[in-house]
Amino acid sequence: MNLLKSWFAFLGKWGPMYAEGTLVTLKVSFFGVLIGFALGIIVALMRNSKIKPLEILSKIYVQVLRGTPLLVQVTIAYYGFATVVPDQFNYLKQPLILSMIAVCMNSSAYVSEIIRGGINAVDRGQSEAAASLGMKKSQIMRHIILPQAIKTVLPALGNEFVTLIKESAILSVVGVGDIMYQAKVAGGATYLPFMPYITSALIYLVLVTVLSKVVDTFERRMATGDTH
C-alpha cells in the first residue's frame, strides 16, 4: 500500500514529464514510419530496377542500415552530421532532428524489404495482361502493382510502427526527451533505482499493447474485406 502511495506521489510530480516524453516517442515513431515508407518505396523500386547501378546502390543501402545497430546510426547522425551542417542551419543540429534522420533511414531500409515482398507477391499475370493492353512499365507499377502491394503490407507497416516505439528508447543517449530520457532525469533527481524505469517500462508496455491490438484488428478487417 505504501509502495502504491509512493508511486502515485512520484507520478504526481513527474507525470507531466513522462507525458511529454510519450508524445516525443510517438512523434518519432510515427514520422519514422511515415517518411521511412516514402523512402522505402523508392528503395524498393530501385531494388527491382533493371538498371544495375541503382540495384547495387539500393542493396548496399539496405545491407548497411539493416546490418548495423540503430544506436550506432543515431550516434553517427548526431555527432557526424552536426559537424558538416553549416552554421546558418543550426536548427538542423537539434538532437531530435538529427535522430529523426537516422530513424527514418533505418525504417526505410526495413520498409523497403516489406514493400519489395509485397510487389513480388502480386501475380505476374496482371503485369502481362496490362502490358498486352499497351500500358508502359511505369504505368503498370504505379496503377496496378504498387496499390496492391501497399494494401498487402499495411499490417506489416503497423508492426514496424510498434517496433520503432520500443527501439526509439535508444534516442535518449543523445538527449532526445523521449520516455527513457525522462526516466533518466527522474532517476537522477530522486535517486530512486527502480521506480522511474519501471514507470517507463509500463508506459512502453501500454503503448505497444494498445497499438498491437489496433494493428491486429485492422489486419482482421482487411482479411474479412478480401474474403468478401
Side-chain angles (χ1 to χ4, degrees):
M1 192 66 178
N2 290 332
L3 180 61
L4 194 60
K5 286 182 179 180
S6 298
W7 188 58
F8 279 122
F10 174 82
L11 287 180
K13 182 175 182 180
W14 298 99
M17 290 183 62
Y18 276 104
E20 182 181 341
T22 301
L23 288 176
V24 172
T25 295
L26 290 173
K27 185 191 299 183
V28 169
S29 303
F30 175 76
F31 284 105
V33 171
L34 186 65
I35 299 174
F37 172 69
L39 291 175
I41 291 177
I42 296 172
V43 176
L45 294 177
M46 289 171 64
R47 282 293 298 270
N48 282 3
S49 172
K50 292 185 178 180
I51 303 174
K52 208 64 179 175
L54 292 180
E55 182 185 358
I56 294 173
L57 184 63
S58 63
K59 283 182 179 179
I60 294 173
Y61 178 88
V62 171
Q63 184 60 36
V64 169
L65 290 173
R66 294 184 67 184
T68 55
L70 179 58
L71 175 60
V72 175
Q73 296 166 22
V74 169
T75 305
I76 291 173
Y78 182 69
Y79 293 104
F81 289 178
T83 60
V84 298
V85 174
D87 291 337
Q88 58 265 37
F89 299 108
N90 274 334
Y91 63 92
L92 294 176
K93 297 183 181 182
Q94 297 177 27
L96 180 60
I97 293 177
L98 292 172
S99 300
M100 281 287 293
I101 293 173
V103 169
C104 292
M105 291 178 65
N106 179 273
S107 179
S108 70
Y110 287 92
V111 170
S112 70
E113 290 299 282
I114 294 172
I115 293 174
R116 194 166 70 92
I119 290 173
N120 293 336
V122 177
D123 187 4
R124 289 186 179 181
Q126 297 187 40
S127 300
E128 294 170 357
S132 67
L133 295 174
M135 294 182 69
K136 298 178 180 179
K137 289 183 178 180
S138 59
Q139 293 175 320
I140 295 172
M141 179 60 70
R142 186 168 67 252
H143 297 296
I144 296 176
I145 297 177
L146 264 183
Q148 294 184 68
I150 291 172
K151 182 181 178 182
T152 301
V153 303
L154 278 178
L157 293 176
N159 289 325
E160 174 66 11
F161 179 44
V162 172
T163 300
L164 268 185
I165 286 177
K166 294 182 290 184
E167 292 185 347
S168 66
I170 291 170
L171 304 186
S172 62
V173 300
V174 294
V176 175
D178 65 343
I179 298 171
M180 194 63 187
Y181 179 84
Q182 305 300 351
K184 288 181 179 180
V185 171
T190 60
Y191 297 102
L192 295 173
F194 296 115
M195 193 174 292
Y197 297 103
I198 290 175
T199 301
S200 65
L202 289 173
I203 294 172
Y204 280 116
L205 181 61
V206 169
L207 289 177
V208 169
T209 301
V210 171
L211 288 171
S212 295
K213 292 293 184 183
V214 171
V215 171
D216 290 342
T217 301
F218 179 68
E219 190 171 359
R220 284 197 299 270
R221 287 186 178 180
M222 282 188 63
T224 304
D226 289 339
T227 58
H228 292 317

